[in-house]
Amino acid sequence: HMSNKNLKLTVGILFLIATFVFFFLSLVSMGIIHSQTVVKAHISILFLTVTGYSLIISSLPLTLKLAMNILSPASEITVACWLNFWFNIVSILFLSMFSISGIGSTWLNYILPVSSGLGLLLILPVQVDI
């Protein structure tokens, strides 16, 4: 059983590493960091994408547990439903961006590191019992 302080620290570290991974992914995607061959560039993009996504997804159950611990008078089902609702709303907004014609995918170079950094900024002010 992890304490709230350790949960917050772990989630913060996961978001921090994901922010750096997505930042490097953006640099590779924009051609600022060059690879020797196209194959190496594709492998770099695949590795960075999977790593960043894995870090964010692995933080979700920890964030849910932290929220349940902090909001402990509320039932776990209520907390889980609200968090799931807002995760789904954000996911729908994100995925709906792909249906806008002419928007392309350049915006992903900015939104992935910014959203990971925003997650870190949102978790930092959370007060936990020591």
Side-chain angles (χ1 to χ4, degrees):
H1 165 44
M2 291 180 72
S3 70
N4 290 344
K5 182 180 176 184
N6 289 337
L7 280 171
K8 179 183 171 184
L9 179 64
T10 304
V11 170
I13 289 170
L14 289 170
F15 275 115
L16 181 65
I17 296 170
T19 302
F20 282 118
V21 167
F22 284 136
F23 177 73
F24 284 115
L25 175 63
S26 296
L27 295 178
V28 170
S29 297
M30 291 187 290
I32 296 172
I33 295 178
H34 299 284
S35 294
Q36 294 174 351
T37 65
V38 174
V39 173
K40 287 184 181 179
H42 285 201
I43 291 170
S44 298
I45 290 171
L46 177 66
F47 174 76
L48 291 170
T49 302
V50 169
T51 302
Y53 187 71
S54 297
L55 289 166
I56 294 298
I57 292 301
S58 65
S59 72
L60 291 179
L62 298 174
T63 305
L64 181 63
K65 178 66 176 159
L66 181 62
M68 287 180 186
N69 288 349
I70 291 172
L71 302 170
S72 81
S75 73
E76 292 180 354
I77 291 179
T78 303
V79 174
C81 286
W82 274 107
L83 285 175
N84 189 29
F85 173 78
W86 287 109
F87 285 149
N88 288 335
I89 294 295
V90 170
S91 296
I92 288 169
L93 291 173
F94 175 78
L95 293 173
S96 67
M97 296 295 288
F98 291 106
S99 65
I100 299 173
S101 62
I103 195 168
S105 61
T106 306
W107 60 278
L108 288 171
N109 293 331
Y110 306 104
I111 198 69
L112 291 174
V114 167
S115 62
S116 299
L118 182 63
L120 177 63
L121 291 177
L122 289 173
I123 200 78
L124 287 177
V126 172
Q127 296 292 323
V128 294
D129 298 330
I130 297 175

